[in-house]
Structures are given as structure tokens and as C-alpha cells.
Amino acid sequence: MQAQTLPVQDRAHHSTESDGGISELRALNTELAATELDITVLDNLAALEASWRELDRDNLNSLHQSIDWCMSWAKAHANPLSILCGKLGAETAFILPVEINRFHGFSTARFIGADHSNINTGLFTQRFIEVAGNLEPKKFAALLRRALAGRADLLLLQNIPLEWRGRRNPLALLPMVQNQNHAYQLPLFENMEATLQQLNAKGRRKKFRTQLRRLEALGGFDYVAGGTADEQHRLLDRFFTQKSERFQALGLPDVFADQATKTFLHGAIDIRERENSMVGLEMHAIRLKGERDGHLAAIAGISRKGDHVICQFSAIDESVAAEASPGEFLFWQMIAGQHGKGVSLFDFGLGDQGYKRSWAPVETEHYDLVLPLSLRGSVGGVVHRAITRGKAFIKSHAKIYRIAQRIRRAISV
């Protein structure tokens, strides 16, 4: 090791007198730091809590990897955990919170709560992000394989934007496949009028006025935002019922049906109450007045990390006020309500739907990290890539997608 270090010191000594020399020294130090990377695995979250909460302070690290969000999921589901912790010497460099479960028939290490995440980044320090540019991809992959050896067949980290708000994700060094789903975002400006200028502002205002008139003709409405913990939990339970009815009508499986997932989301509401913030889940709704007083025409759950708000899910009841498009009307209320609160990005989450495209001028591609950890995992990686590319092909061809949806509904009935 000394034989490799001495020339670096010698070069640094002769170059520190110029700006170029200082830059060169920093680059060399960064390169050396990359060689110090070590990755370990822990099977519980508490051991990393202090470092984890420090990484949570960086608002470009996804809220879906925040410790409170992950704790809520882990308590509800009790899957085996394999928390990947990267270190540069004694300094924490990153945390990748993963759990082990069956996916496509293979033992797979995935982000905690992956099936209910709209954006995943992992948690990285700024220093590691700088170091990662000098990290050999093969070495990074080998360290991850060694850390997870014997725990799973495949490391599959899904729905990662390779670049998020100007920051390149270090996971982009590893083998990736583009996910079939994209995410859709609306930048927020100083007021609602300025925000609407990105869209067809005239058409959007006209639609809003029409929806407003129709709701008032039914007796009026209340926009429900926040409220007590008990009110929030009741709204979430009503969402589960509405969404189940909607899935049943479409002949689709209910992704919120299992009790563990319901427990997790109720726990996410409790995060908001405990932390007095929107890092957890906050429920919003359109509640009718008049003859259908108290009826919830539309419900949504949103979360916030820094200046980024994500709509985690939404549901509508089409049996009443369908002609008023209460779901879109609720989005107007939620978006308008974020102005003046330090929010600069409203995220509609994953999935290509017409209402998202009508609201969101920004489309973000997501990718899946696919890293086999064993020979069996190599097969799993091929299977996942084939399924993902197949879904992407189907979704990119409207006629084929409609046929696939009809087939899926027929099978589900």
C-alpha cells in the first residue's frame, strides 16, 4: 500500500501552488477514498438509526427510504431485513434499506416497501456521491454481492431515477433496465396562476369552473385537508373501501387488500402526527353537502419531503357526482393548497394515466437495478428484464395495451 501512496503524495506536493494542482489533489483524494469503500449488512434498523436520521436530512434522498417510513413497513410485514450500509473508512457513505422476499419466484433483496413506493433513491452522503465517480462499477457490484452472499439470489432495486433534480444516482453505475412505468411531476411557482401557465391554463380553468358548478348544484362540498389523527385514519379506511370497489369494477386485483399493507399505511399517518410534519401520510378528500351530506366523492393520500410532495394514491366514488370529476377537482384543491408553503414540485407518482399527463409537464424515467447474487439469481435477472421489457413494449402500443387490459380483467373475473 505504501508503494502506491508515496507517488500520490509527491505529485500533490508539487501541484498545490496552483488552482489546477488543488483540483488534482482533490481528485486524487477522491480516488483514494473510493478504494476504502466497505459494505456490511445489518438485520435491524435500530442499529443505524443515528446515521440514518442524518441521511434523512438530505431532501434529495427519497422519503420512501426514510427510517420512519421503513420502520412502519417493517413492523407491519416482518420480512427478513438486510440493510446495506456502505462506509468510507469510519464514515457512513450510504444506506440501502432492503428486505428479502419472493418475487417472480426468486429470493430477492428489494427496497423495503417497494410495491408501494413512487420514487426510490437509496440514501447517500454528498461525499460518497463525489467519490462514486471514481468507483469501478465491477468493484461496486462485487462488494454488494459479497455483502449479500447467502441471503438472496437477486438484488432488485426498482423505480430509481438515474438523475433526480440535478443529482446523479450512484446506483446508475450498476446493471439497469428501464422500468415500464414513468413518473409525472408538476413544478409549482409563486402562485396557482403562474403554475397553470405551464399547462393549457385557459382549458384547465374552464374545466375547474365546470366541476365547481356541478358540485355546487349537488349541494356544495367541503375540501378536507389534514385534521385529527382519528379523522385521518377514518379517511384512510374509507379509501380502502373505495379503492377495493374500483378494482373490483375493473376486474383488477386489490393491491391494498392485505391487512399488513393497511397497517403500514395507518402507521404512516401516525408518523405525520408524531413528527408534526408531512414526512408521513396525510389524507385529503372532497366531502359532499346537500342530499348526500358527508359522502366522500374523492380521496387521496399525499406525503412531503422538503419541497417535494407526492400523491401516494387516490380513489373516486363514481356512483355520485361522477359528472363533476371529483378526482380531478381534488387535485386542483391539493395543488392550489401547496402554494406559499415552500413546495416547488407536486408529484403524481408512477403510472401513465391521462389525468397525470394533463397536469404534469415533466416526465421522469425510472430504472431497475438488476444484480444477480447467485447462479439462480442470474436466471431471475433474465426473467425480470424480459417481463419489464415486455410490459414496456405493451404500454408503448395503445392498441396492444387495451387488449392486454381486457385479457387481464377477463382472467381476474
Side-chain angles (χ1 to χ4, degrees), residues 217-340:
L218 291 171
F221 68 95
D222 286 322
Y223 167 46
V224 182
T228 68
D230 286 344
E231 290 169 337
Q232 288 279 291
H233 287 297
R234 285 196 294 271
L235 283 176
L236 180 58
D237 283 331
R238 183 56 194 158
F239 162 78
F240 291 140
T241 300
Q242 280 193 4
K243 202 65 175 178
S244 177
E245 292 169 352
R246 178 68 171 170
F247 281 134
Q248 187 174 10
L250 294 174
L252 298 174
D254 183 358
V255 298
F256 300 97
D258 68 283
Q259 187 56 49
T261 296
K262 292 177 180 178
T263 299
F264 153 64
L265 290 171
H266 277 293
I269 286 177
D270 293 333
I271 294 170
R272 182 188 71 96
E273 293 300 316
R274 184 173 67 251
E275 301 295 332
N276 192 29
S277 70
M278 284 178 60
V279 172
L281 183 65
E282 182 172 271
M283 302 299 297
H284 294 238
I286 297 297
R287 183 172 59 207
L288 300 182
K289 296 181 178 180
E291 291 184 6
R292 300 303 299 270
D293 186 48
H295 182 84
L296 298 174
I299 306 174
I302 64 175
S303 298
R304 176 173 175 176
K305 179 78 182 290
D307 66 347
H308 178 209
V309 165
I310 302 176
C311 181
Q312 301 290 351
F313 49 71
S314 62
I316 57 173
D317 183 346
E318 292 189 319
S319 65
V320 179
E323 68 281 1
S325 302
E328 277 212 66
F329 189 79
L330 175 57
F331 275 109
W332 177 290
Q333 298 293 338
M334 291 192 296
I335 291 166
Q338 301 307 315
H339 290 86

Side-chain angles (χ1 to χ4, degrees), residues 336-372:
Q338 301 307 315
H339 290 86
K341 296 182 179 178
V343 176
S344 61
L345 193 68
F346 189 95
D347 199 325
F348 291 84
L350 288 169
D352 188 352
Q353 294 176 291
Y355 78 88
K356 293 182 182 181
R357 285 188 176 272
S358 72
W359 270 109
V362 179
E363 181 175 349
T364 301
E365 295 178 348
H366 282 221
Y367 289 77
D368 297 350
L369 184 162
V370 186
L371 185 66

Side-chain angles (χ1 to χ4, degrees), residues 48-59 61 66-67 91-92 95 123-126 305:
L48 288 171
E49 183 169 359
S51 297
W52 202 321
R53 291 196 182 279
E54 184 62 30
L55 288 172
D56 280 346
R57 292 164 62 87
D58 185 337
N59 288 326
N61 288 331
S66 68
I67 190 166
E91 176 188 335
T92 299
I95 296 174
L123 304 109
F124 297 94
T125 64
Q126 186 59 43
K305 179 78 182 290

Side-chain angles (χ1 to χ4, degrees), residues 157-196:
L157 304 182
Q158 296 165 277
N159 298 321
I160 301 168
L162 299 188
E163 185 172 303
W164 176 240
R165 306 185 76 179
R167 176 187 286 179
R168 184 75 172 171
N169 194 305
L171 296 175
L173 291 166
L174 300 168
M176 293 277 184
V177 62
Q178 187 171 338
N179 192 278
Q180 70 272 14
N181 292 314
H182 296 182
Y184 298 84
Q185 293 95 22
L186 172 68
L188 303 190
F189 299 134
E190 62 271 17
N191 53 51
M192 189 65 169
E193 185 61 31
T195 294
L196 290 177

Side-chain angles (χ1 to χ4, degrees), residues 346-408:
F346 189 95
D347 199 325
F348 291 84
L350 288 169
D352 188 352
Q353 294 176 291
Y355 78 88
K356 293 182 182 181
R357 285 188 176 272
S358 72
W359 270 109
V362 179
E363 181 175 349
T364 301
E365 295 178 348
H366 282 221
Y367 289 77
D368 297 350
L369 184 162
V370 186
L371 185 66
L373 306 173
S374 67
L375 183 59
R376 179 175 172 81
S378 297
V379 177
V382 171
V383 169
H384 180 74
R385 288 175 181 276
I387 291 173
T388 301
R389 287 170 175 157
K391 288 180 178 179
F393 175 80
I394 290 170
K395 288 190 172 186
S396 66
H397 294 77
K399 290 184 179 179
I400 298 175
Y401 187 42
R402 286 195 293 270
I403 293 171
Q405 286 180 311
R406 287 197 293 269
I407 293 172
R408 185 180 180 185

Side-chain angles (χ1 to χ4, degrees), residues 136-149:
E136 291 184 14
K138 289 184 178 179
K139 178 178 179 179
F140 194 9
L143 289 171
L144 289 168
R145 286 193 179 100
R146 186 178 68 185
L148 289 169

